Amino acid sequence: MAYDLLIKNGRVVDGSGGPSFYADVAVQNGKIVGVGKFTESADRTIDADGRVVAPGFIDHHTHYDPQALWDPLCNYTVQNGNTTVVVGQCGQTIAPARPGDQEWYLKFFADAEAIPLSSLQNGVNFTWGSIAEYLDALGQRRGVNVGALVGHSGVRRYVMGEAASERAEATAEEIESMKQLVREGMLAGALGFSTTPKDRDDPAGVAAEEERYILGSVLGELGSGLFQVSGGSPEGVYASHRTAKELSRRNGRPAIYNLVSQELNDPDGWKEHLQWLEDSFKEGIRAYGSCISITAGPIFNLRLGLDVPQDEDLISPHIMFAGMPTWDSVMARPTPERIRAFRDSEIRRALSAEAVEGTVAQAAPGTDRRGSPRGFFNRRWDLVEVFMAHQERNRQFEGKSIEQLAQEQGKGIMEAFLDLSLDENLETHFLCVDRNVDVDSQRQILGSPYTVIGTTDGGARPDTMDRYEYSTNLLGYWVREKQVMSLEDAVYRLTGKTALMHELHDRGFIAPGKAADLTIFDADTIASKPREPVDYPPAGANAKHVRRGAIGIDYVIVNGEVLLEDGEHTGALPGQVLRGPLHQG
């Protein structure tokens, strides 16, 4: 027989975690029909000699809910090997939505995820009211596959209106209406239910503790779907763990919560966290901690200021320079005056005394995007890195610390920091690294059977998006360079494990009968390209987002069609809305 696509001579890493092997993969009608050695012809043949053939990666935690409607590729997630994204995280959704109330959902997303409101207003055309209709709208023009969760804040707003953000106790009738919406969403094909811990500042967080468990009972009664629990509680990650654990305990369904990481200010805290997880699983409760395969911390530049929105799941108490008197004075000035101040040698000495030498104390701690105090700048300039340069000539500095830059240039710390920023009109973005740098701890966190790698937040904070590369960084840095796990185990964590948890039974593995979602890459070279700011349609002028592609990824194949070849979109739109097993359509 003639196949639609034949991938020959590749090293197949099949998503199971088992040993890789050399074989051909045959594809027909969007499905894998054989794994072996084939002599038949094909409409297209790809020679994968020297390359890994893996299942397409699954990005299980994104906020592409609105963007997926206008962007079939979901930014650069596909460039990094993802063939599926899951939206509806953290209780945040744009469905169901009542007529006349749609603007609230857009403002909610803009505020919660630091997305330009103009992008949402220009890009989202509400043609739906129900969750089922929203899923249909998602399927209109797809490059990457999309699955969705039912969000607690969304259904609460739909039922309670403005009271959803004000009143903790829902009436019995309101609870029943919300349960019905969760049930309808699951039967329409949603993959689960997302919520937040109590006291987070959104409708789901306002809700009384028992409400999230009552709504979660729908999944237990249906016997399908997973729970996702956000971070952001005043109690920190323990509240997320507790909520996820209780949802899973009561309903017999798996849960994922944010976030397990190795924090520099609490170097052994991750050990206690992994022990929580192990203890839960020993009790028979499936509450997984999400983790990320990148270094992380607050991202800032000197043009926007030092109080830019940050991700409360990631930052710990080492935040920039707010509360230092000279810094507060300079940063309060209009940009032209600020630039002049940064050039003044006397002011530079004062800035350095406060932020480098520490001869002047920092008066107040920095805060996260929800206003919670997060502590003081630690003056670790070996951990302040160039995150994204805005000029091509400066991209060589990305990933280097200011301390390293100063040494290479023969300058002081403050001179190197301010000279680079001034060269780019204060638009250089910097990363204040505060976690996930220790190899031994990351080996245990990333490799734990109780964690799930992901949580890119794709679609959120588009001007500083820092996690597109979680897959390429895992495979290139942590696997190839640091050898914290095998290639086979890493691919399993990116594909098969995630597919099984989300009941995507036809994805995540290379085997006959599975969907032909495939990523072909060079294990010896896979890595991230430098970041660069690009225009962010449909926001209009002055809106930017981060472009970050990958090297070493030759092909991304979705449902049997080549979506990307050598990093370029082929024009194909083979993606689908992936619906859970309860859907009958």
PDB file of all heavy atoms in Angstrom, residues 463-496:
ATOM      1  N   ASP A 463       4.744  39.901  26.712  1.00  0.00           N
ATOM      2  CA  ASP A 463       5.922  40.742  26.496  1.00  0.00           C
ATOM      3  C   ASP A 463       7.168  40.191  27.166  1.00  0.00           C
ATOM      4  O   ASP A 463       8.288  40.612  26.847  1.00  0.00           O
ATOM      5  CB  ASP A 463       5.656  42.164  26.981  1.00  0.00           C
ATOM      6  CG  ASP A 463       5.356  42.229  28.475  1.00  0.00           C
ATOM      7  OD1 ASP A 463       4.703  41.296  28.983  1.00  0.00           O
ATOM      8  OD2 ASP A 463       5.769  43.211  29.118  1.00  0.00           O
ATOM      9  N   THR A 464       6.992  39.238  28.101  1.00  0.00           N
ATOM     10  CA  THR A 464       8.157  38.634  28.755  1.00  0.00           C
ATOM     11  C   THR A 464       8.053  37.117  28.807  1.00  0.00           C
ATOM     12  O   THR A 464       8.687  36.487  29.668  1.00  0.00           O
ATOM     13  CB  THR A 464       8.315  39.170  30.193  1.00  0.00           C
ATOM     14  OG1 THR A 464       7.117  38.900  30.946  1.00  0.00           O
ATOM     15  CG2 THR A 464       8.599  40.659  30.201  1.00  0.00           C
ATOM     16  N   MET A 465       7.284  36.508  27.920  1.00  0.00           N
ATOM     17  CA  MET A 465       7.032  35.076  28.002  1.00  0.00           C
ATOM     18  C   MET A 465       8.352  34.320  28.115  1.00  0.00           C
ATOM     19  O   MET A 465       9.207  34.385  27.252  1.00  0.00           O
ATOM     20  CB  MET A 465       6.255  34.608  26.773  1.00  0.00           C
ATOM     21  CG  MET A 465       5.940  33.128  26.782  1.00  0.00           C
ATOM     22  SD  MET A 465       4.979  32.681  28.231  1.00  0.00           S
ATOM     23  CE  MET A 465       5.174  30.926  28.253  1.00  0.00           C
ATOM     24  N   ASP A 466       8.503  33.574  29.224  1.00  0.00           N
ATOM     25  CA  ASP A 466       9.800  32.999  29.542  1.00  0.00           C
ATOM     26  C   ASP A 466       9.821  31.480  29.550  1.00  0.00           C
ATOM     27  O   ASP A 466      10.818  30.893  29.950  1.00  0.00           O
ATOM     28  CB  ASP A 466      10.254  33.503  30.917  1.00  0.00           C
ATOM     29  CG  ASP A 466       9.266  33.171  32.037  1.00  0.00           C
ATOM     30  OD1 ASP A 466       8.060  33.152  31.761  1.00  0.00           O
ATOM     31  OD2 ASP A 466       9.702  32.952  33.166  1.00  0.00           O
ATOM     32  N   ARG A 467       8.744  30.820  29.106  1.00  0.00           N
ATOM     33  CA  ARG A 467       8.723  29.369  29.276  1.00  0.00           C
ATOM     34  C   ARG A 467       8.390  28.601  28.007  1.00  0.00           C
ATOM     35  O   ARG A 467       8.079  27.415  28.068  1.00  0.00           O
ATOM     36  CB  ARG A 467       7.732  28.988  30.379  1.00  0.00           C
ATOM     37  CG  ARG A 467       8.056  29.626  31.700  1.00  0.00           C
ATOM     38  CD  ARG A 467       7.095  29.186  32.773  1.00  0.00           C
ATOM     39  NE  ARG A 467       6.749  30.304  33.628  1.00  0.00           N
ATOM     40  CZ  ARG A 467       5.746  30.308  34.495  1.00  0.00           C
ATOM     41  NH1 ARG A 467       4.973  29.241  34.619  1.00  0.00           N
ATOM     42  NH2 ARG A 467       5.497  31.362  35.236  1.00  0.00           N
ATOM     43  N   TYR A 468       8.411  29.269  26.847  1.00  0.00           N
ATOM     44  CA  TYR A 468       8.221  28.520  25.609  1.00  0.00           C
ATOM     45  C   TYR A 468       9.161  27.322  25.544  1.00  0.00           C
ATOM     46  O   TYR A 468       8.828  26.267  25.028  1.00  0.00           O
ATOM     47  CB  TYR A 468       8.543  29.388  24.389  1.00  0.00           C
ATOM     48  CG  TYR A 468       7.554  30.470  24.069  1.00  0.00           C
ATOM     49  CD1 TYR A 468       7.980  31.785  23.922  1.00  0.00           C
ATOM     50  CD2 TYR A 468       6.211  30.195  23.888  1.00  0.00           C
ATOM     51  CE1 TYR A 468       7.094  32.798  23.606  1.00  0.00           C
ATOM     52  CE2 TYR A 468       5.316  31.198  23.574  1.00  0.00           C
ATOM     53  CZ  TYR A 468       5.764  32.501  23.439  1.00  0.00           C
ATOM     54  OH  TYR A 468       4.877  33.489  23.126  1.00  0.00           O
ATOM     55  N   GLU A 469      10.370  27.531  26.068  1.00  0.00           N
ATOM     56  CA  GLU A 469      11.458  26.586  25.824  1.00  0.00           C
ATOM     57  C   GLU A 469      11.518  25.464  26.845  1.00  0.00           C
ATOM     58  O   GLU A 469      12.539  24.782  26.933  1.00  0.00           O
ATOM     59  CB  GLU A 469      12.787  27.341  25.815  1.00  0.00           C
ATOM     60  CG  GLU A 469      13.231  27.909  27.147  1.00  0.00           C
ATOM     61  CD  GLU A 469      12.729  29.315  27.424  1.00  0.00           C
ATOM     62  OE1 GLU A 469      11.688  29.703  26.842  1.00  0.00           O
ATOM     63  OE2 GLU A 469      13.363  30.025  28.209  1.00  0.00           O
ATOM     64  N   TYR A 470      10.456  25.252  27.627  1.00  0.00           N
ATOM     65  CA  TYR A 470      10.559  24.226  28.662  1.00  0.00           C
ATOM     66  C   TYR A 470      10.926  22.867  28.079  1.00  0.00           C
ATOM     67  O   TYR A 470      11.678  22.102  28.682  1.00  0.00           O
ATOM     68  CB  TYR A 470       9.242  24.140  29.458  1.00  0.00           C
ATOM     69  CG  TYR A 470       8.164  23.279  28.835  1.00  0.00           C
ATOM     70  CD1 TYR A 470       7.908  21.998  29.302  1.00  0.00           C
ATOM     71  CD2 TYR A 470       7.411  23.743  27.762  1.00  0.00           C
ATOM     72  CE1 TYR A 470       6.930  21.207  28.728  1.00  0.00           C
ATOM     73  CE2 TYR A 470       6.435  22.965  27.188  1.00  0.00           C
ATOM     74  CZ  TYR A 470       6.198  21.699  27.664  1.00  0.00           C
ATOM     75  OH  TYR A 470       5.241  20.911  27.073  1.00  0.00           O
ATOM     76  N   SER A 471      10.424  22.550  26.886  1.00  0.00           N
ATOM     77  CA  SER A 471      10.723  21.252  26.277  1.00  0.00           C
ATOM     78  C   SER A 471      12.145  21.200  25.748  1.00  0.00           C
ATOM     79  O   SER A 471      12.883  20.229  25.998  1.00  0.00           O
ATOM     80  CB  SER A 471       9.726  20.958  25.156  1.00  0.00           C
ATOM     81  OG  SER A 471       9.681  22.031  24.221  1.00  0.00           O
ATOM     82  N   THR A 472      12.548  22.227  25.009  1.00  0.00           N
ATOM     83  CA  THR A 472      13.896  22.224  24.452  1.00  0.00           C
ATOM     84  C   THR A 472      14.951  22.339  25.546  1.00  0.00           C
ATOM     85  O   THR A 472      16.025  21.758  25.453  1.00  0.00           O
ATOM     86  CB  THR A 472      14.063  23.350  23.419  1.00  0.00           C
ATOM     87  OG1 THR A 472      13.596  24.586  23.976  1.00  0.00           O
ATOM     88  CG2 THR A 472      13.261  23.065  22.170  1.00  0.00           C
ATOM     89  N   ASN A 473      14.640  23.092  26.599  1.00  0.00           N
ATOM     90  CA  ASN A 473      15.599  23.212  27.698  1.00  0.00           C
ATOM     91  C   ASN A 473      15.719  21.904  28.469  1.00  0.00           C
ATOM     92  O   ASN A 473      16.808  21.531  28.911  1.00  0.00           O
ATOM     93  CB  ASN A 473      15.173  24.338  28.643  1.00  0.00           C
ATOM     94  CG  ASN A 473      16.334  24.844  29.484  1.00  0.00           C
ATOM     95  OD1 ASN A 473      17.363  25.246  28.962  1.00  0.00           O
ATOM     96  ND2 ASN A 473      16.174  24.817  30.787  1.00  0.00           N
ATOM     97  N   LEU A 474      14.614  21.188  28.619  1.00  0.00           N
ATOM     98  CA  LEU A 474      14.676  19.883  29.271  1.00  0.00           C
ATOM     99  C   LEU A 474      15.558  18.937  28.473  1.00  0.00           C
ATOM    100  O   LEU A 474      16.454  18.278  29.022  1.00  0.00           O
ATOM    101  CB  LEU A 474      13.267  19.297  29.414  1.00  0.00           C
ATOM    102  CG  LEU A 474      13.206  17.890  30.016  1.00  0.00           C
ATOM    103  CD1 LEU A 474      13.637  17.900  31.476  1.00  0.00           C
ATOM    104  CD2 LEU A 474      11.807  17.299  29.875  1.00  0.00           C
ATOM    105  N   LEU A 475      15.316  18.875  27.159  1.00  0.00           N
ATOM    106  CA  LEU A 475      16.032  17.905  26.322  1.00  0.00           C
ATOM    107  C   LEU A 475      17.476  18.310  26.059  1.00  0.00           C
ATOM    108  O   LEU A 475      18.359  17.449  25.969  1.00  0.00           O
ATOM    109  CB  LEU A 475      15.290  17.733  25.003  1.00  0.00           C
ATOM    110  CG  LEU A 475      13.878  17.135  25.121  1.00  0.00           C
ATOM    111  CD1 LEU A 475      13.134  17.275  23.804  1.00  0.00           C
ATOM    112  CD2 LEU A 475      13.945  15.684  25.547  1.00  0.00           C
ATOM    113  N   GLY A 476      17.713  19.609  25.927  1.00  0.00           N
ATOM    114  CA  GLY A 476      19.055  20.070  25.623  1.00  0.00           C
ATOM    115  C   GLY A 476      19.914  20.264  26.856  1.00  0.00           C
ATOM    116  O   GLY A 476      20.979  19.654  26.992  1.00  0.00           O
ATOM    117  N   TYR A 477      19.442  21.092  27.783  1.00  0.00           N
ATOM    118  CA  TYR A 477      20.258  21.432  28.953  1.00  0.00           C
ATOM    119  C   TYR A 477      20.242  20.332  30.009  1.00  0.00           C
ATOM    120  O   TYR A 477      21.297  19.811  30.402  1.00  0.00           O
ATOM    121  CB  TYR A 477      19.779  22.748  29.562  1.00  0.00           C
ATOM    122  CG  TYR A 477      20.590  23.181  30.763  1.00  0.00           C
ATOM    123  CD1 TYR A 477      21.876  23.680  30.603  1.00  0.00           C
ATOM    124  CD2 TYR A 477      20.065  23.085  32.048  1.00  0.00           C
ATOM    125  CE1 TYR A 477      22.626  24.075  31.698  1.00  0.00           C
ATOM    126  CE2 TYR A 477      20.809  23.481  33.149  1.00  0.00           C
ATOM    127  CZ  TYR A 477      22.093  23.977  32.981  1.00  0.00           C
ATOM    128  OH  TYR A 477      22.839  24.356  34.061  1.00  0.00           O
ATOM    129  N   TRP A 478      19.044  19.957  30.458  1.00  0.00           N
ATOM    130  CA  TRP A 478      18.976  19.031  31.589  1.00  0.00           C
ATOM    131  C   TRP A 478      19.296  17.594  31.206  1.00  0.00           C
ATOM    132  O   TRP A 478      19.891  16.852  31.988  1.00  0.00           O
ATOM    133  CB  TRP A 478      17.607  19.108  32.256  1.00  0.00           C
ATOM    134  CG  TRP A 478      17.370  20.397  32.972  1.00  0.00           C
ATOM    135  CD1 TRP A 478      16.464  21.366  32.632  1.00  0.00           C
ATOM    136  CD2 TRP A 478      18.054  20.894  34.124  1.00  0.00           C
ATOM    137  NE1 TRP A 478      16.541  22.427  33.502  1.00  0.00           N
ATOM    138  CE2 TRP A 478      17.514  22.161  34.431  1.00  0.00           C
ATOM    139  CE3 TRP A 478      19.066  20.383  34.936  1.00  0.00           C
ATOM    140  CZ2 TRP A 478      17.955  22.922  35.510  1.00  0.00           C
ATOM    141  CZ3 TRP A 478      19.507  21.148  36.007  1.00  0.00           C
ATOM    142  CH2 TRP A 478      18.959  22.394  36.297  1.00  0.00           C
ATOM    143  N   VAL A 479      18.911  17.179  29.995  1.00  0.00           N
ATOM    144  CA  VAL A 479      19.175  15.797  29.578  1.00  0.00           C
ATOM    145  C   VAL A 479      20.555  15.664  28.949  1.00  0.00           C
ATOM    146  O   VAL A 479      21.388  14.873  29.391  1.00  0.00           O
ATOM    147  CB  VAL A 479      18.080  15.300  28.609  1.00  0.00           C
ATOM    148  CG1 VAL A 479      18.443  13.932  28.029  1.00  0.00           C
ATOM    149  CG2 VAL A 479      16.739  15.217  29.338  1.00  0.00           C
ATOM    150  N   ARG A 480      20.811  16.435  27.894  1.00  0.00           N
ATOM    151  CA  ARG A 480      22.089  16.268  27.178  1.00  0.00           C
ATOM    152  C   ARG A 480      23.279  16.771  27.988  1.00  0.00           C
ATOM    153  O   ARG A 480      24.295  16.093  28.108  1.00  0.00           O
ATOM    154  CB  ARG A 480      22.023  17.002  25.830  1.00  0.00           C
ATOM    155  CG  ARG A 480      23.287  16.810  24.987  1.00  0.00           C
ATOM    156  CD  ARG A 480      23.198  17.549  23.670  1.00  0.00           C
ATOM    157  NE  ARG A 480      23.121  18.982  23.809  1.00  0.00           N
ATOM    158  CZ  ARG A 480      22.099  19.726  23.382  1.00  0.00           C
ATOM    159  NH1 ARG A 480      21.058  19.149  22.807  1.00  0.00           N
ATOM    160  NH2 ARG A 480      22.103  21.033  23.545  1.00  0.00           N
ATOM    161  N   GLU A 481      23.157  17.971  28.568  1.00  0.00           N
ATOM    162  CA  GLU A 481      24.314  18.565  29.232  1.00  0.00           C
ATOM    163  C   GLU A 481      24.460  18.121  30.680  1.00  0.00           C
ATOM    164  O   GLU A 481      25.560  17.789  31.127  1.00  0.00           O
ATOM    165  CB  GLU A 481      24.225  20.088  29.152  1.00  0.00           C
ATOM    166  CG  GLU A 481      24.287  20.637  27.728  1.00  0.00           C
ATOM    167  CD  GLU A 481      24.280  22.148  27.691  1.00  0.00           C
ATOM    168  OE1 GLU A 481      24.674  22.774  28.695  1.00  0.00           O
ATOM    169  OE2 GLU A 481      23.857  22.708  26.662  1.00  0.00           O
ATOM    170  N   LYS A 482      23.378  18.106  31.426  1.00  0.00           N
ATOM    171  CA  LYS A 482      23.468  17.802  32.859  1.00  0.00           C
ATOM    172  C   LYS A 482      23.111  16.352  33.188  1.00  0.00           C
ATOM    173  O   LYS A 482      23.363  15.901  34.304  1.00  0.00           O
ATOM    174  CB  LYS A 482      22.564  18.750  33.660  1.00  0.00           C
ATOM    175  CG  LYS A 482      22.967  20.213  33.530  1.00  0.00           C
ATOM    176  CD  LYS A 482      24.409  20.433  33.991  1.00  0.00           C
ATOM    177  CE  LYS A 482      24.816  21.896  33.893  1.00  0.00           C
ATOM    178  NZ  LYS A 482      26.229  22.104  34.295  1.00  0.00           N
ATOM    179  N   GLN A 483      22.508  15.648  32.247  1.00  0.00           N
ATOM    180  CA  GLN A 483      22.210  14.210  32.382  1.00  0.00           C
ATOM    181  C   GLN A 483      21.421  13.910  33.656  1.00  0.00           C
ATOM    182  O   GLN A 483      21.708  12.952  34.379  1.00  0.00           O
ATOM    183  CB  GLN A 483      23.513  13.405  32.331  1.00  0.00           C
ATOM    184  CG  GLN A 483      24.265  13.590  31.028  1.00  0.00           C
ATOM    185  CD  GLN A 483      25.556  12.807  30.966  1.00  0.00           C
ATOM    186  OE1 GLN A 483      25.892  12.045  31.859  1.00  0.00           O
ATOM    187  NE2 GLN A 483      26.294  12.983  29.875  1.00  0.00           N
ATOM    188  N   VAL A 484      20.392  14.713  33.904  1.00  0.00           N
ATOM    189  CA  VAL A 484      19.581  14.475  35.100  1.00  0.00           C
ATOM    190  C   VAL A 484      18.593  13.328  34.882  1.00  0.00           C
ATOM    191  O   VAL A 484      18.055  12.785  35.861  1.00  0.00           O
ATOM    192  CB  VAL A 484      18.812  15.745  35.530  1.00  0.00           C
ATOM    193  CG1 VAL A 484      19.763  16.891  35.801  1.00  0.00           C
ATOM    194  CG2 VAL A 484      17.751  16.147  34.513  1.00  0.00           C
ATOM    195  N   MET A 485      18.338  12.953  33.643  1.00  0.00           N
ATOM    196  CA  MET A 485      17.471  11.822  33.332  1.00  0.00           C
ATOM    197  C   MET A 485      17.791  11.355  31.919  1.00  0.00           C
ATOM    198  O   MET A 485      18.487  12.047  31.159  1.00  0.00           O
ATOM    199  CB  MET A 485      15.990  12.197  33.455  1.00  0.00           C
ATOM    200  CG  MET A 485      15.503  13.237  32.463  1.00  0.00           C
ATOM    201  SD  MET A 485      13.707  13.553  32.572  1.00  0.00           S
ATOM    202  CE  MET A 485      13.588  14.300  34.185  1.00  0.00           C
ATOM    203  N   SER A 486      17.277  10.198  31.565  1.00  0.00           N
ATOM    204  CA  SER A 486      17.502   9.684  30.216  1.00  0.00           C
ATOM    205  C   SER A 486      16.627  10.404  29.214  1.00  0.00           C
ATOM    206  O   SER A 486      15.601  11.007  29.569  1.00  0.00           O
ATOM    207  CB  SER A 486      17.194   8.187  30.167  1.00  0.00           C
ATOM    208  OG  SER A 486      15.785   7.966  30.319  1.00  0.00           O
ATOM    209  N   LEU A 487      17.023  10.347  27.954  1.00  0.00           N
ATOM    210  CA  LEU A 487      16.209  10.922  26.889  1.00  0.00           C
ATOM    211  C   LEU A 487      14.832  10.270  26.868  1.00  0.00           C
ATOM    212  O   LEU A 487      13.811  10.947  26.693  1.00  0.00           O
ATOM    213  CB  LEU A 487      16.916  10.720  25.545  1.00  0.00           C
ATOM    214  CG  LEU A 487      16.139  11.158  24.299  1.00  0.00           C
ATOM    215  CD1 LEU A 487      15.906  12.663  24.308  1.00  0.00           C
ATOM    216  CD2 LEU A 487      16.890  10.743  23.030  1.00  0.00           C
ATOM    217  N   GLU A 488      14.800   8.968  27.056  1.00  0.00           N
ATOM    218  CA  GLU A 488      13.522   8.247  27.008  1.00  0.00           C
ATOM    219  C   GLU A 488      12.579   8.708  28.119  1.00  0.00           C
ATOM    220  O   GLU A 488      11.374   8.894  27.900  1.00  0.00           O
ATOM    221  CB  GLU A 488      13.757   6.741  27.121  1.00  0.00           C
ATOM    222  CG  GLU A 488      14.396   6.118  25.898  1.00  0.00           C
ATOM    223  CD  GLU A 488      15.915   6.201  25.875  1.00  0.00           C
ATOM    224  OE1 GLU A 488      16.493   6.895  26.759  1.00  0.00           O
ATOM    225  OE2 GLU A 488      16.540   5.572  25.007  1.00  0.00           O
ATOM    226  N   ASP A 489      13.136   8.903  29.315  1.00  0.00           N
ATOM    227  CA  ASP A 489      12.290   9.343  30.418  1.00  0.00           C
ATOM    228  C   ASP A 489      11.810  10.767  30.192  1.00  0.00           C
ATOM    229  O   ASP A 489      10.648  11.101  30.477  1.00  0.00           O
ATOM    230  CB  ASP A 489      13.049   9.243  31.741  1.00  0.00           C
ATOM    231  CG  ASP A 489      12.144   9.414  32.944  1.00  0.00           C
ATOM    232  OD1 ASP A 489      10.964   9.019  32.859  1.00  0.00           O
ATOM    233  OD2 ASP A 489      12.599   9.935  33.971  1.00  0.00           O
ATOM    234  N   ALA A 490      12.672  11.626  29.665  1.00  0.00           N
ATOM    235  CA  ALA A 490      12.276  13.011  29.405  1.00  0.00           C
ATOM    236  C   ALA A 490      11.139  13.079  28.387  1.00  0.00           C
ATOM    237  O   ALA A 490      10.179  13.836  28.563  1.00  0.00           O
ATOM    238  CB  ALA A 490      13.474  13.814  28.914  1.00  0.00           C
ATOM    239  N   VAL A 491      11.252  12.302  27.315  1.00  0.00           N
ATOM    240  CA  VAL A 491      10.184  12.295  26.314  1.00  0.00           C
ATOM    241  C   VAL A 491       8.892  11.764  26.917  1.00  0.00           C
ATOM    242  O   VAL A 491       7.799  12.294  26.663  1.00  0.00           O
ATOM    243  CB  VAL A 491      10.607  11.482  25.077  1.00  0.00           C
ATOM    244  CG1 VAL A 491       9.413  11.245  24.151  1.00  0.00           C
ATOM    245  CG2 VAL A 491      11.724  12.207  24.325  1.00  0.00           C
ATOM    246  N   TYR A 492       8.984  10.725  27.739  1.00  0.00           N
ATOM    247  CA  TYR A 492       7.795  10.216  28.438  1.00  0.00           C
ATOM    248  C   TYR A 492       7.142  11.314  29.264  1.00  0.00           C
ATOM    249  O   TYR A 492       5.910  11.455  29.273  1.00  0.00           O
ATOM    250  CB  TYR A 492       8.197   9.039  29.327  1.00  0.00           C
ATOM    251  CG  TYR A 492       7.162   8.646  30.353  1.00  0.00           C
ATOM    252  CD1 TYR A 492       5.935   8.102  29.973  1.00  0.00           C
ATOM    253  CD2 TYR A 492       7.419   8.804  31.721  1.00  0.00           C
ATOM    254  CE1 TYR A 492       4.989   7.742  30.926  1.00  0.00           C
ATOM    255  CE2 TYR A 492       6.486   8.441  32.672  1.00  0.00           C
ATOM    256  CZ  TYR A 492       5.268   7.909  32.279  1.00  0.00           C
ATOM    257  OH  TYR A 492       4.335   7.561  33.218  1.00  0.00           O
ATOM    258  N   ARG A 493       7.963  12.116  29.949  1.00  0.00           N
ATOM    259  CA  ARG A 493       7.407  13.181  30.794  1.00  0.00           C
ATOM    260  C   ARG A 493       6.756  14.271  29.957  1.00  0.00           C
ATOM    261  O   ARG A 493       5.850  14.968  30.439  1.00  0.00           O
ATOM    262  CB  ARG A 493       8.506  13.791  31.670  1.00  0.00           C
ATOM    263  CG  ARG A 493       9.254  12.803  32.553  1.00  0.00           C
ATOM    264  CD  ARG A 493       8.354  12.102  33.554  1.00  0.00           C
ATOM    265  NE  ARG A 493       7.719  13.037  34.442  1.00  0.00           N
ATOM    266  CZ  ARG A 493       8.273  13.561  35.538  1.00  0.00           C
ATOM    267  NH1 ARG A 493       9.511  13.223  35.873  1.00  0.00           N
ATOM    268  NH2 ARG A 493       7.603  14.395  36.308  1.00  0.00           N
ATOM    269  N   LEU A 494       7.207  14.462  28.730  1.00  0.00           N
ATOM    270  CA  LEU A 494       6.636  15.488  27.854  1.00  0.00           C
ATOM    271  C   LEU A 494       5.441  14.991  27.053  1.00  0.00           C
ATOM    272  O   LEU A 494       4.711  15.795  26.468  1.00  0.00           O
ATOM    273  CB  LEU A 494       7.703  15.992  26.867  1.00  0.00           C
ATOM    274  CG  LEU A 494       8.896  16.741  27.450  1.00  0.00           C
ATOM    275  CD1 LEU A 494       9.936  16.998  26.365  1.00  0.00           C
ATOM    276  CD2 LEU A 494       8.465  18.059  28.085  1.00  0.00           C
ATOM    277  N   THR A 495       5.241  13.680  27.010  1.00  0.00           N
ATOM    278  CA  THR A 495       4.262  13.124  26.073  1.00  0.00           C
ATOM    279  C   THR A 495       3.345  12.094  26.734  1.00  0.00           C
ATOM    280  O   THR A 495       2.233  12.404  27.130  1.00  0.00           O
ATOM    281  CB  THR A 495       4.983  12.500  24.868  1.00  0.00           C
ATOM    282  OG1 THR A 495       5.846  11.430  25.319  1.00  0.00           O
ATOM    283  CG2 THR A 495       5.828  13.519  24.128  1.00  0.00           C
ATOM    284  N   GLY A 496       3.812  10.859  26.860  1.00  0.00           N
ATOM    285  CA  GLY A 496       2.953   9.768  27.288  1.00  0.00           C
ATOM    286  C   GLY A 496       2.330   9.978  28.649  1.00  0.00           C
ATOM    287  O   GLY A 496       1.128   9.746  28.846  1.00  0.00           O
TER     288      GLY A 496
END
